[in-house]
Amino acid sequence: VLITDKGAILECNQAAVDMFGHPREKLIGMNATELVAEEFRGITAAQMLSGLETPCEVVAMRHDGSTFQAELQGRMFTFRNRPARATAIRNINERKTAERVPYALYATSTAVSTIRDLDQLYRAIHAILHNAIGAPNFFIAIIDKENNRLAFPYFDDQIDDDSYVLDIDNPDTKSLSLQVIRSGLPLF
């Protein structure tokens, strides 16, 4: 919760300190619009100054520059004998992701049943997942036991460009994909 006067933060709770990663002393006096991404500052300021009490969804920014989707809902009240605004901030990343999952499943099912070209299907699945969960890197790995390698019929990575992992039976071969295959467990 933030308590503001014309955007200036007068008070905050520990949850706001934890959510944004700023020390309490830095938050006090800061303009609340500095806690949202640039493209949401105008709407955030307008919401605060107008006194609207309807929820508003924005992209919020932490002290380290990372972002999260947030819902803001404010209410005017009297604080220390003057008008102020109390704003509840909720991190809605998980809710927004959960809302995208049914769409991703439906879109993937549709792609599988309508796209006949395998390379186009892989690209479509990647695009669907990128939209749903923000997956810029994506690959499909197939174990090629005959050639003792891990093959990637689809591989799109911003950093790596490996299309094969060789000598997969060798325990010294390092690969995150092999780690998942060998353990049967996700990385995270």
Side-chain angles (χ1 to χ4, degrees), residues 53-66:
E53 296 184 0
T54 55
C56 174
E57 292 183 6
V58 300
V59 174
M61 287 185 11
R62 296 182 185 92
H63 177 66
D64 66 5
S66 63

Side-chain angles (χ1 to χ4, degrees), residues 12-150:
C12 64
N13 65 0
Q14 186 61 42
V17 170
D18 295 342
M19 186 177 294
F20 291 103
H22 288 283
R24 183 178 181 283
E25 309 79 52
K26 184 164 191 249
L27 283 172
I28 304 299
M30 179 186 280
N31 191 301
T33 60
E34 294 176 53
L35 299 174
V36 299
E38 186 78 36
E39 61 269 24
F40 291 94
R41 290 185 181 167
I43 192 167
T44 302
Q47 186 100 356
M48 285 189 296
L49 296 174
S50 70
L52 285 174
E53 296 184 0
T54 55
C56 174
E57 292 183 6
V58 300
V59 174
M61 287 185 11
R62 296 182 185 92
H63 177 66
D64 66 5
S66 63
T67 61
F68 61 95
Q69 293 177 308
E71 180 184 80
L72 311 177
Q73 185 165 16
R75 168 167 274 171
M76 298 302 294
F77 78 115
T78 301
F79 180 73
R80 297 181 185 155
N81 297 321
R82 66 183 190 189
R85 183 174 179 85
T87 302
I89 302 118
R90 292 176 195 83
N91 183 327
I92 58 171
N93 274 350
E94 287 183 19
R95 182 182 89 196
K96 297 305 268 183
T97 298
E99 290 171 358
R100 289 188 299 266
V101 168
Y103 162 77
L105 291 173
Y106 176 76
T108 301
S109 174
T110 300
V112 167
S113 64
T114 59
I115 299 174
R116 298 292 169 227
D117 180 74
L118 203 52
D119 289 331
Q120 287 179 351
L121 177 61
Y122 294 158
R123 283 193 296 280
I125 292 171
H126 183 190
I128 292 164
L129 289 175
H130 183 54
N131 183 48
I133 60 172
N137 302 322
F138 177 76
F139 62 85
I140 296 171
I142 297 175
I143 297 173
D144 179 357
K145 290 186 179 195
E146 189 174 302
N147 294 305
N148 195 34
R149 68 181 184 175
L150 194 59

Side-chain angles (χ1 to χ4, degrees), residues 146-160:
E146 189 174 302
N147 294 305
N148 195 34
R149 68 181 184 175
L150 194 59
F152 298 89
Y154 181 84
F155 191 95
D156 187 355
D157 192 294
Q158 295 173 329
I159 298 171
D160 293 330

